[in-house]
Structure formats: structure tokens, C-alpha cells
Amino acid sequence: MTNINLSFSKLEFKGYKTVCPVELVWRNALDVVKQLFSDPTFANHMTFHPHVTNINNQHEYRDYMSANMAWKIQDHLPLGVTQVLIILGSNKTPITRLARGIEMHPVFVTIGNIDSEVPWRCIAYIPIVKFCIHPDYQSILQARLWHKCMDLVCSNLKATAKDGCFMPDPFHNICHVFTLLVGHVCNLPEATMIAAVSKNASPLTMATQAVDPWDLDKFQKAAKAINLSGVHMPYWRNWMFACPSIFLTGEFFANHPLKWIKEAMGDYELNTRFMVQHKRVRTRHFTKGITHINQMTGRKHRDIQHTIVAPIAGAVPPRFVRAICALMDFFYLAQNLVYLPQSLELMVQALSDFHSFKDTIIQAEARRGKNGSKKDFFIPKLELLQSFDGTIKKLGTLMQAVADHTLKGHFPADVPANLKDFMEQCMRILNCQESMEMFGLYTLLTSHEDVTTTNPALSWSIHGPQPVHNHFLKGVLSGDALTAFQLNVAPDYKLLSLSDICTKYALLGFDLVLADFICCSSLSGGEHSHWDPRYGRFQAWHNDGFPLGNCDTVVIDAMGINGKMSSNLELPSYLSDPLLYIQFFHFISDPDDHPELAIWSVEHAYTQDENGNCHREGAVIQVTDMTHVVELIPVYGEAVAKGMSSTTCLESYKHFFLNNFTDKESYHTFSTEFV
């Protein structure tokens, strides 16, 4: 196993001078693909041939090999050959501040034959240079240079797609393979450059024009007339079976809905609703709001997407909420890992619902441009959403190749400050790093008899093996031993009396519910225990910023209506295993009662003691009775109440939405299983 070093080449663009030399850093893409295809780490996670999976006589779409295009191409290949599925990724990005703002197009490659998450290998850093020419022709020459570099980098892959070659698989069998381009992951500006179309055109169209390509003035005018960019030799032109209308899969346009909501609600109200949301585990809390964020990364978009629907209810018209909710439904359904015809129909219906209600966005003047409000939805990214259904049927799930990976793995952080021979120095550093990573992989392979038993998605990243922590060794196990609970923080109080807990946390009736739990637990175990609340000391957790406890909301099992009820979570400790004191919520409405949100609503549950005092209904349960961690968002109404904060919103508001967009598991649970 050897490292495939990056090489350094200086290119000349005949007929046109550049401000700086054209320096291309690249490696043999075919050698990288051979290394990925033969890596024994992925032996149990490889697919070599097209297949069809039927569930109840319905075609199931997973990866590329389960989709329609794999079968169509296989029919045109020699008998017995294997398709090696090339997925490229690229993204324009600045390299480093030390390099005076140098920008490049890093190009990555992986293969779609591997079922689990795999490392993207960088095969080129394509420079973005300025030409000594009129600014009107800068973009056309830069695009042609990019395609020329890609032509060079991918030349061996294209030759193999046409004639085939032989390479070993992870089981050391020699396979006759053809390298087929099935995906190029990128954002929309990059996609238009790849498809050689103009910025305002769809990258899924193609056209030709008979004009001298080096007469830039005439050629550019003729190209613009038919929405082309002026690239006359795209890198994919002679790649067998490659077509941009197929391998460019489109991307989600998460920024537009947020802009519409900002315009409809105003910055102050929108920021306030995000700032006062309860802080919970696994969810980013925007302490300063969201409208001030200038650099919106994909992760921030996802974090906002998780909580954008429920908070806007009451502040905008119901039809506006319905349009935003339909888009979120579409985004979540489009990220499925497995599709059936029924799930594809739901995805298409969600997009249709958005188009049915989008007129309210225009009416609210939330769709705006440089010259004020707009009356149209001419958005290229929105047009691409129409192609998702066909793309999934042709290529399989969209999530097998996502653009986030192309934002990682750029130049090293320890780039030398001396800028002389900058690119060559960076190339040597990268080669040294990858050589060490390859040596680490070699030691892994030689020190273990069988590395194929480990899922590479859990233990492997672009930088080599990663440690895996087994929480089942020391954690509290659920009854079926499929879930482990682990407490990472030591208790703040170790010797609290029962009365101290009731006073400190304002928990009326806590002593009674604890006694009921001990009594019921002992009876279920065939014993009869008597517990005197005057004795015993307890451990408890406390946060000074949350005087009544820093609580999360969960769904529990074996209690309440139909065995499931939302609850408020605190963590006392009893004996060897931690116990939970919970406060109940009652369901007050189902999704049909809120058609614009299609969401469940709950309220605090109250009870009366023997003296007629009303307080919240509580209970003590075992930690293993939890089934889901969920998120409650207050029903704010038209405006957030004054004096509200993230530490008091759960205690102050009475009604809440059960947020089904918190994560994909919650979305599918509350849409299907929970019902």
C-alpha cells in the first residue's frame, strides 16, 4: 500500500497572459480510485452489481446500484464487468489568510460502490487566476481553465470509462471495471460552470452553437443568447455515459425561506423567539438571535431549520406558515436514506403544497430583491427541486453524496508564512501528512487479522482511524440492552434531605411520588418495603442559571395515555441507578387541529393534593423509561411576552408545540409511529 503523491504542474494559457503563473496541484485520479476500490477496510460495505429490492411489491431505492440508471448502463457494457461509480466534488474556496486570499477549486473524489460513509480523497487544487484582459472576459476564461484542468486530472478516468481496465477489489479478486461519472457534488454557481450554462439558467440544460470559440466577443454574445456560459470544451464532453442533467443532482436552498421569514416578521421579533427558546441537549441555542449571522454555513442552516416552523406561528398568517412547513417537509423527506414509491409521492406532494401556498409570501412582500419586493419565484434552486423525484429514481438516495464533504480537507493549517514557492511547499506538507496517514492505515491492517468487521463509518474519517467509546461498559443499560445512559457530570449536591429538595426546587408533593415509586417498585419485585421520608440523603444536580432546574423534555414509556407522555426532566439519584423526577404534559391537540403546522400541542398537567392545593402533576421513574428526547416550543402568539428568557420559558408558558423538526428521528416518529 503506497501513498499517491500530489504533483505540481505549471500551465500556460496560449494567447492570453495571466497576472500570476497557473500552478496546478493534482494527482492521478485513476490511482486514487483503485486505492479506494481495493481498500480492505470497506470489504463488507461494497456493492459491485446492480440489484432490485422489492418491499411489498414496491421498488426500494437506496444507493446507485438499486436505482434505474445502473441497469440501463449495465446493458451497454460487456458481460461480467463491474461499474465503478465516480462521484466528484468541488467547491470554490479561499485557501488561507497567509496566502493573501488565494482562491482555488479543490476537487475531491469518492466511489459510490461503498455503502457507508467514506473519505473523500482530494485529487486536485485548480487555481483561480486573473487574466490580463477586459473584465467582461474574465469569467469565461476562468471557466475554460477550470474545465481544461479537470480534463487533465480526469483523463485516465475517462479513458477507463470508454475502454475499461483491470483493478483488484477488497477481496483481492481482479475485476474488469468501467469508471462511470454518476455524480458531481457542488453548489449552484459551481453547477452552472460545470454544465457550461449562464448564471440564470438551469444546469440541467444543454445546447450547442457553431461560432469560433476563440473569438471571445462573438462567441460570448452567441452563448449568452441561448443561456450558455461560453465554455466550448467541458471536461465531461467525452466521458462515456456522462451527462450534466443526470450527474448534477442539485442542492437544497435553505437560505431563501429564512429571508422570507425575516421580511415577514422583522429582525427583533424573530431574534427574540430564537433567544428565549429553552436550551436543550443536542440543539444549538442562538443566544444573540439569527439575523446578524453573515457567514451562514450548512450546519447553521440545519440548526435553524430544526426550529424555524413552530416559533413563527402566530406572528405570520397561517398560509405563510403552511408554505414554510411544506418546504421543511420536502427537505426532510428528500434526505431519506431509503425510498419507496409512497415516500416519493409524499415528497412530491410536499413541494406541490408549497406552490399552492406560496402566494402568501408574495402578499406579505417577503420575497424581495435589490429594487424592493418581487412578484415572482424565478429561483434556479427552486426549479431544481422539481428534479429530485427523477434523480432519486435514476441515481438512488440524494444523501449518498452531499456537498458538506467538499468543504473539508483543504490546505493544512500550518501553511508556511514564507510565500516563496507557496504552492510547492503546501504540496510537500500535504504529501507528508498523507504518507503518515497511510502508514497509520498500514499498521492497522497488519495489527488486526480482520479489519472488515468494523463499520468504517464509525471508526474512519479522512484522517484515519478514530477512537470509538463503548458506553455500554459503564453506562446504565435499558431493559433490552440496546440503549446505554451515561452521566458525565458529578452531582452538585451529595447530601440533600428530602425537605431540602422540595424547598430548593419548589417541588410540591415530591415526597409522595417518591414514596409511591419505592412502594410500586418493591411490590413489582415481590417485596414490600416501607420507607420513612425523614431519613436518607440524596444527590442532585443544579445549575445557578436555572433556579428551578435545567430541564429537558422527553417521551417516556409505560405511563400515561397509550403508554406515552411528554415530561419535564430532572436528575436526582437514588441508590445505585439514577432516577428521574418528571412533570407531566397533557396532549391538547393533534396535527389535524393545526393544519398549517401539522404538529402536536401539549400543556402542563396539574393535580390537587388533599388540602386542595393545585400543583403540577409529577412522578418518579427509572432513567431507562425514557424513549425519546424531544423539544417543546412555547406557543408565543403574536409576540413574545415581556421579560421572557430561555431559563424561564418552560416554566412561564402554559401551551407548547411538540417540535417534530428537531431531528430526522423525531420527524418520522411523530409523523408515523407516534400516531
Side-chain angles (χ1 to χ4, degrees):
M1 181 176 293
T2 60
N3 182 43
I4 305 170
N5 286 333
L6 290 163
S7 57
F8 179 76
S9 301
K10 289 188 176 183
L11 307 179
E12 292 185 3
F13 209 97
K14 292 184 178 180
Y16 298 93
K17 294 183 179 180
T18 58
V19 176
C20 300
V22 181
E23 300 173 332
L24 174 65
V25 177
W26 64 293
R27 56 162 60 96
N28 190 323
L30 181 60
D31 289 342
V32 174
V33 170
K34 287 182 177 180
Q35 192 175 77
L36 285 171
F37 188 73
S38 62
D39 193 334
T41 310
F42 307 115
N44 292 338
H45 305 273
M46 297 278 286
T47 303
F48 299 98
H49 303 290
H51 60 273
V52 174
T53 302
N54 285 318
I55 303 295
N56 296 327
N57 294 324
Q58 291 186 320
H59 189 165
E60 182 182 75
Y61 299 94
R62 288 180 176 267
D63 55 7
Y64 173 84
M65 288 297 191
S66 66
N68 300 334
M69 188 59 65
W71 287 98
K72 292 182 179 180
I73 293 180
Q74 193 73 33
D75 291 340
H76 292 83
L77 296 177
L79 186 64
V81 304
T82 300
Q83 300 180 47
V84 175
L85 314 173
I86 305 300
I87 302 176
L88 299 175
S90 60
N91 185 68
K92 179 181 178 181
T93 182
I95 298 301
T96 174
R97 294 179 181 177
L98 297 177
R100 299 173 184 173
I102 292 178
E103 290 187 324
M104 284 193 166
H105 289 271
V107 181
F108 300 85
V109 68
T110 187
I111 58 175
N113 303 75
I114 304 177
D115 299 332
S116 58
E117 297 179 11
V118 297
W120 288 73
R121 295 294 304 276
C122 183
I123 55 175
Y125 291 94
I126 299 178
I128 301 175
V129 298
K130 290 187 177 181
F131 289 84
C132 300
I133 197 172
H134 192 276
D136 290 347
Y137 307 115
Q138 286 287 344
S139 59
I140 185 174
L141 291 178
Q142 289 175 350
R144 289 184 179 185
L145 175 61
W146 185 89
H147 279 275
K148 182 62 180 177
C149 292
M150 286 292 294
D151 215 2
L152 173 64
V153 173
C154 300
S155 58
N156 289 338
L157 292 178
K158 291 192 287 185
T160 305
K162 180 181 178 181
D163 302 322
C165 74
F166 293 91
M167 63 177 66
D169 66 11
F171 303 100
H172 309 295
N173 301 316
I174 302 300
C175 301
H176 187 198
V177 304
F178 285 73
T179 51
L180 308 175
L181 179 62
V182 299
H184 193 132
V185 183
C186 57
N187 56 25
L188 182 61
E190 195 103 348
T192 56
M193 181 187 67
I194 293 170
V197 299
S198 60
K199 294 181 180 179
N200 295 325
S202 168
L204 306 185
T205 60
M206 293 180 62
T208 58
Q209 182 73 12
V211 181
D212 181 10
W214 293 109
D215 188 341
L216 291 184
D217 185 57
K218 292 183 179 180
F219 191 84
Q220 189 177 52
K221 290 180 180 178
K224 286 184 176 180
I226 53 175
N227 292 326
L228 296 180
S229 66
V231 174
H232 63 295
M233 297 181 66
Y235 81 91
W236 42 263
R237 69 193 184 281
N238 54 350
W239 199 320
M240 192 69 69
F241 303 113
C243 176
S245 64
I246 295 176
F247 66 71
L248 293 175
T249 58
E251 64 170 333
F252 301 105
F253 74 128
N255 55 331
H256 288 277
L258 181 58
K259 291 179 181 178
W260 302 334
I261 294 171
K262 287 181 182 179
E263 295 294 336
M265 293 183 59
D267 290 356
Y268 175 79
E269 185 64 26
L270 180 59
N271 286 332
T272 302
R273 296 189 178 218
F274 271 86
M275 288 189 292
V276 304
Q277 284 182 21
H278 179 70
K279 296 181 180 179
R280 64 180 294 275
V281 177
R282 297 193 307 169
T283 299
R284 180 197 293 263
H285 184 261
F286 293 90
T287 308
K288 299 181 180 179
I290 60 176
T291 59
H292 70 283
I293 301 175
N294 295 323
Q295 186 66 27
M296 189 69 75
T297 62
R299 181 174 294 276
K300 289 180 181 177
H301 269 306
R302 288 194 297 271
D303 292 334
I304 294 173
Q305 174 183 286
H306 292 162
T307 53
I308 196 62
V309 176
I312 68 176
V316 295
R319 284 174 54 86
F320 190 104
V321 179
R322 185 67 185 90
I324 300 299
C325 185
L327 267 186
M328 295 302 110
D329 284 332
F330 178 84
F331 293 156
Y332 274 72
L333 293 170
Q335 296 176 58
N336 286 345
L337 298 179
V338 179
Y339 294 91
L340 292 171
Q342 182 180 5
S343 58
L344 289 175
E345 290 176 3
L346 291 175
M347 183 184 72
V348 173
Q349 182 61 48
L351 187 60
S352 177
D353 290 343
F354 166 74
H355 287 293
S356 299
F357 292 96
K358 68 182 180 183
D359 61 290
T360 189
I361 299 175
I362 299 295
Q363 295 172 4
E365 297 185 350
R367 169 101 167 99
R368 305 185 68 86
K370 295 181 179 179
N371 299 322
S373 61
K374 290 186 175 182
K375 304 297 182 182
D376 61 70
F377 277 89
F378 297 148
I379 305 174
K381 289 184 179 180
L382 180 59
E383 178 194 347
L384 292 178
L385 300 185
Q386 307 282 353
S387 66
F388 278 23
D389 176 53
T391 299
I392 292 169
K393 292 178 180 178
K394 292 177 183 177
L395 303 179
T397 173
L398 298 172
M399 296 308 294
Q400 62 183 324
V402 292
D404 286 355
H405 296 291
T406 64
L407 300 175
K408 304 175 182 178
H410 294 332
F411 268 45
D414 52 346
V415 177
N418 178 12
L419 295 180
K420 183 179 180 180
D421 299 328
F422 171 78
M423 294 302 300
E424 189 171 354
Q425 293 183 55
C426 289
M427 180 194 68
R428 292 178 179 177
I429 292 176
L430 288 172
N431 283 335
C432 290
Q433 288 181 346
E434 293 188 1
S435 295
M436 290 186 290
E437 292 168 6
M438 195 59 61
F439 179 76
L441 175 60
Y442 174 78
T443 57
L444 173 68
L445 298 177
T446 55
S447 60
H448 294 74
E449 294 182 359
D450 185 10
V451 299
T452 63
T453 58
T454 302
N455 185 351
L458 300 177
S459 61
W460 188 260
S461 72
I462 196 170
H463 297 297
Q466 301 294 315
V468 177
H469 300 284
N470 188 352
H471 296 294
F472 287 84
L473 295 178
K474 298 182 180 180
V476 180
L477 300 184
S478 61
D480 55 7
L482 297 178
T483 305
F485 300 85
Q486 181 167 353
L487 296 176
N488 296 322
V489 180
D492 299 286
Y493 303 106
K494 297 184 178 180
L495 295 174
L496 284 181
S497 66
L498 188 59
S499 60
D500 291 336
I501 292 178
C502 294
T503 302
K504 193 172 192 61
Y505 295 101
L507 301 179
L508 299 177
F510 173 71
D511 53 343
L512 297 178
V513 297
L514 181 59
D516 289 342
F517 170 79
I518 295 175
C519 180
C520 294
S521 298
S522 63
L523 290 176
S524 63
E527 303 176 358
H528 182 71
S529 298
H530 175 72
W531 177 67
D532 191 337
R534 295 174 299 176
Y535 301 97
R537 292 294 182 266
F538 301 87
Q539 296 180 349
W541 284 257
H542 181 73
N543 188 321
D544 292 333
F546 296 81
L548 299 180
N550 186 7
C551 307
D552 282 332
T553 49
V554 299
V555 173
I556 64 173
D557 193 14
M559 296 185 70
I561 302 174
N562 295 329
K564 296 181 175 67
M565 182 170 289
S566 183
S567 65
N568 214 3
L569 167 65
E570 288 185 34
L571 294 175
S573 177
Y574 176 72
L575 299 178
S576 59
D577 292 336
L579 303 176
L580 305 182
Y581 173 73
I582 61 173
Q583 291 180 344
F584 292 114
F585 291 87
H586 285 317
F587 289 100
I588 57 176
S589 64
D590 59 31
D592 293 334
D593 297 324
H594 300 282
E596 73 278 8
L597 289 171
I599 201 169
W600 296 84
S601 298
V602 299
E603 67 177 0
H604 285 292
Y606 291 88
T607 186
Q608 287 185 343
D609 59 21
E610 57 186 8
N611 298 322
N613 298 320
C614 185
H615 57 83
R616 292 180 184 172
E617 182 181 356
V620 174
I621 64 172
Q622 294 180 333
V623 68
T624 53
D625 289 330
M626 289 192 302
T627 60
H628 291 84
V629 177
V630 296
E631 180 181 34
L632 295 185
I633 296 179
V635 179
Y636 294 113
E638 295 183 359
V640 177
K642 294 183 178 180
M644 198 61 57
S645 69
S646 61
T647 62
T648 60
C649 69
L650 273 185
E651 301 295 330
S652 302
Y653 279 96
K654 294 182 179 180
H655 300 133
F656 303 87
F657 292 121
L658 181 59
N659 184 20
N660 59 330
F661 291 105
T662 302
D663 50 47
K664 296 174 186 176
E665 181 183 8
S666 297
Y667 178 79
H668 293 289
T669 298
F670 298 136
S671 298
T672 55
E673 301 171 16
F674 193 70
V675 178

mmCIF file of all heavy atoms in Angstrom, residues 255 258-259 262 286 289-297 300-301 304:
data_model
loop_
_atom_site.group_PDB
_atom_site.id
_atom_site.type_symbol
_atom_site.label_atom_id
_atom_site.label_comp_id
_atom_site.label_asym_id
_atom_site.label_seq_id
_atom_site.Cartn_x
_atom_site.Cartn_y
_atom_site.Cartn_z
ATOM 1 N N ASN A 255 -31.474 28.993 2.395
ATOM 2 C CA ASN A 255 -31.376 30.398 2.778
ATOM 3 C C ASN A 255 -32.615 31.202 2.399
ATOM 4 O O ASN A 255 -32.958 32.178 3.066
ATOM 5 C CB ASN A 255 -30.139 31.024 2.144
ATOM 6 C CG ASN A 255 -30.102 30.857 0.646
ATOM 7 O OD1 ASN A 255 -30.644 29.889 0.109
ATOM 8 N ND2 ASN A 255 -29.483 31.778 -0.055
ATOM 9 N N LEU A 258 -35.527 31.433 5.103
ATOM 10 C CA LEU A 258 -35.134 32.281 6.228
ATOM 11 C C LEU A 258 -35.244 33.754 5.864
ATOM 12 O O LEU A 258 -35.687 34.575 6.677
ATOM 13 C CB LEU A 258 -33.708 31.933 6.660
ATOM 14 C CG LEU A 258 -33.154 32.730 7.845
ATOM 15 C CD1 LEU A 258 -34.044 32.556 9.067
ATOM 16 C CD2 LEU A 258 -31.725 32.299 8.161
ATOM 17 N N LYS A 259 -34.873 34.129 4.646
ATOM 18 C CA LYS A 259 -35.006 35.519 4.207
ATOM 19 C C LYS A 259 -36.470 35.943 4.175
ATOM 20 O O LYS A 259 -36.810 37.056 4.580
ATOM 21 C CB LYS A 259 -34.380 35.689 2.818
ATOM 22 C CG LYS A 259 -32.870 35.556 2.788
ATOM 23 C CD LYS A 259 -32.343 35.720 1.374
ATOM 24 C CE LYS A 259 -30.824 35.575 1.330
ATOM 25 N NZ LYS A 259 -30.309 35.691 -0.062
ATOM 26 N N LYS A 262 -37.630 36.561 7.750
ATOM 27 C CA LYS A 262 -37.084 37.823 8.274
ATOM 28 C C LYS A 262 -37.912 39.008 7.801
ATOM 29 O O LYS A 262 -38.233 39.909 8.582
ATOM 30 C CB LYS A 262 -35.632 37.994 7.811
ATOM 31 C CG LYS A 262 -34.622 37.106 8.496
ATOM 32 C CD LYS A 262 -33.238 37.401 7.951
ATOM 33 C CE LYS A 262 -32.182 36.497 8.562
ATOM 34 N NZ LYS A 262 -30.831 36.785 7.993
ATOM 35 N N PHE A 286 -29.281 29.875 19.781
ATOM 36 C CA PHE A 286 -28.800 31.129 19.218
ATOM 37 C C PHE A 286 -29.016 32.242 20.247
ATOM 38 O O PHE A 286 -30.059 32.898 20.280
ATOM 39 C CB PHE A 286 -29.525 31.435 17.910
ATOM 40 C CG PHE A 286 -29.205 30.464 16.809
ATOM 41 C CD1 PHE A 286 -29.971 29.315 16.644
ATOM 42 C CD2 PHE A 286 -28.136 30.679 15.958
ATOM 43 C CE1 PHE A 286 -29.673 28.413 15.637
ATOM 44 C CE2 PHE A 286 -27.838 29.778 14.953
ATOM 45 C CZ PHE A 286 -28.602 28.644 14.793
ATOM 46 N N GLY A 289 -29.682 35.575 18.652
ATOM 47 C CA GLY A 289 -30.587 35.577 17.513
ATOM 48 C C GLY A 289 -29.910 35.055 16.263
ATOM 49 O O GLY A 289 -28.790 34.521 16.306
ATOM 50 N N ILE A 290 -30.591 35.217 15.122
ATOM 51 C CA ILE A 290 -30.072 34.641 13.883
ATOM 52 C C ILE A 290 -29.912 35.652 12.745
ATOM 53 O O ILE A 290 -29.253 35.359 11.756
ATOM 54 C CB ILE A 290 -30.976 33.490 13.395
ATOM 55 C CG1 ILE A 290 -32.406 33.993 13.130
ATOM 56 C CG2 ILE A 290 -30.977 32.348 14.385
ATOM 57 C CD1 ILE A 290 -33.325 32.948 12.559
ATOM 58 N N THR A 291 -30.500 36.830 12.864
ATOM 59 C CA THR A 291 -30.482 37.760 11.730
ATOM 60 C C THR A 291 -29.118 38.413 11.539
ATOM 61 O O THR A 291 -28.845 38.962 10.475
ATOM 62 C CB THR A 291 -31.535 38.858 11.910
ATOM 63 O OG1 THR A 291 -31.275 39.586 13.126
ATOM 64 C CG2 THR A 291 -32.929 38.256 11.980
ATOM 65 N N HIS A 292 -28.257 38.367 12.565
ATOM 66 C CA HIS A 292 -26.949 39.021 12.456
ATOM 67 C C HIS A 292 -25.907 38.131 11.794
ATOM 68 O O HIS A 292 -24.808 38.599 11.485
ATOM 69 C CB HIS A 292 -26.440 39.398 13.851
ATOM 70 C CG HIS A 292 -26.053 38.198 14.683
ATOM 71 N ND1 HIS A 292 -26.998 37.389 15.285
ATOM 72 C CD2 HIS A 292 -24.842 37.664 14.983
ATOM 73 C CE1 HIS A 292 -26.384 36.418 15.940
ATOM 74 N NE2 HIS A 292 -25.081 36.553 15.765
ATOM 75 N N ILE A 293 -26.220 36.864 11.563
ATOM 76 C CA ILE A 293 -25.239 35.919 11.039
ATOM 77 C C ILE A 293 -24.949 36.247 9.577
ATOM 78 O O ILE A 293 -25.855 36.256 8.743
ATOM 79 C CB ILE A 293 -25.744 34.470 11.175
ATOM 80 C CG1 ILE A 293 -26.031 34.149 12.647
ATOM 81 C CG2 ILE A 293 -24.734 33.492 10.606
ATOM 82 C CD1 ILE A 293 -26.637 32.781 12.870
ATOM 83 N N ASN A 294 -23.694 36.535 9.280
ATOM 84 C CA ASN A 294 -23.300 36.857 7.904
ATOM 85 C C ASN A 294 -22.834 35.625 7.145
ATOM 86 O O ASN A 294 -23.226 35.388 6.012
ATOM 87 C CB ASN A 294 -22.191 37.920 7.913
ATOM 88 C CG ASN A 294 -22.667 39.251 8.460
ATOM 89 O OD1 ASN A 294 -23.794 39.660 8.225
ATOM 90 N ND2 ASN A 294 -21.806 39.929 9.209
ATOM 91 N N GLN A 295 -21.976 34.818 7.784
ATOM 92 C CA GLN A 295 -21.444 33.626 7.139
ATOM 93 C C GLN A 295 -22.293 32.440 7.553
ATOM 94 O O GLN A 295 -22.120 31.874 8.627
ATOM 95 C CB GLN A 295 -19.973 33.415 7.545
ATOM 96 C CG GLN A 295 -19.280 32.273 6.808
ATOM 97 C CD GLN A 295 -19.127 32.538 5.322
ATOM 98 O OE1 GLN A 295 -19.056 33.689 4.894
ATOM 99 N NE2 GLN A 295 -19.087 31.488 4.526
ATOM 100 N N MET A 296 -23.268 32.069 6.736
ATOM 101 C CA MET A 296 -24.214 31.003 7.062
ATOM 102 C C MET A 296 -23.712 29.680 6.495
ATOM 103 O O MET A 296 -23.746 29.451 5.291
ATOM 104 C CB MET A 296 -25.593 31.326 6.500
ATOM 105 C CG MET A 296 -26.683 30.386 6.969
ATOM 106 S SD MET A 296 -27.085 30.548 8.718
ATOM 107 C CE MET A 296 -28.016 32.072 8.699
ATOM 108 N N THR A 297 -23.183 28.826 7.365
ATOM 109 C CA THR A 297 -22.686 27.523 6.934
ATOM 110 C C THR A 297 -23.840 26.531 6.828
ATOM 111 O O THR A 297 -24.953 26.789 7.287
ATOM 112 C CB THR A 297 -21.646 26.989 7.930
ATOM 113 O OG1 THR A 297 -22.281 26.811 9.208
ATOM 114 C CG2 THR A 297 -20.495 27.975 8.086
ATOM 115 N N LYS A 300 -25.215 25.606 10.313
ATOM 116 C CA LYS A 300 -26.100 26.616 10.896
ATOM 117 C C LYS A 300 -27.472 26.585 10.222
ATOM 118 O O LYS A 300 -28.496 26.768 10.875
ATOM 119 C CB LYS A 300 -25.466 28.000 10.771
ATOM 120 C CG LYS A 300 -24.266 28.224 11.682
ATOM 121 C CD LYS A 300 -23.688 29.615 11.508
ATOM 122 C CE LYS A 300 -22.480 29.818 12.417
ATOM 123 N NZ LYS A 300 -21.860 31.151 12.216
ATOM 124 N N HIS A 301 -27.472 26.378 8.902
ATOM 125 C CA HIS A 301 -28.747 26.262 8.196
ATOM 126 C C HIS A 301 -29.574 25.115 8.770
ATOM 127 O O HIS A 301 -30.784 25.249 8.991
ATOM 128 C CB HIS A 301 -28.508 26.039 6.703
ATOM 129 C CG HIS A 301 -28.452 27.301 5.907
ATOM 130 N ND1 HIS A 301 -29.458 28.235 5.939
ATOM 131 C CD2 HIS A 301 -27.523 27.787 5.052
ATOM 132 C CE1 HIS A 301 -29.152 29.246 5.134
ATOM 133 N NE2 HIS A 301 -27.984 28.997 4.595
ATOM 134 N N ILE A 304 -30.981 25.995 12.251
ATOM 135 C CA ILE A 304 -32.127 26.894 12.164
ATOM 136 C C ILE A 304 -33.339 26.154 11.615
ATOM 137 O O ILE A 304 -34.478 26.340 12.067
ATOM 138 C CB ILE A 304 -31.777 28.116 11.286
ATOM 139 C CG1 ILE A 304 -30.701 28.966 11.964
ATOM 140 C CG2 ILE A 304 -33.012 28.963 11.010
ATOM 141 C CD1 ILE A 304 -30.180 30.104 11.105
#
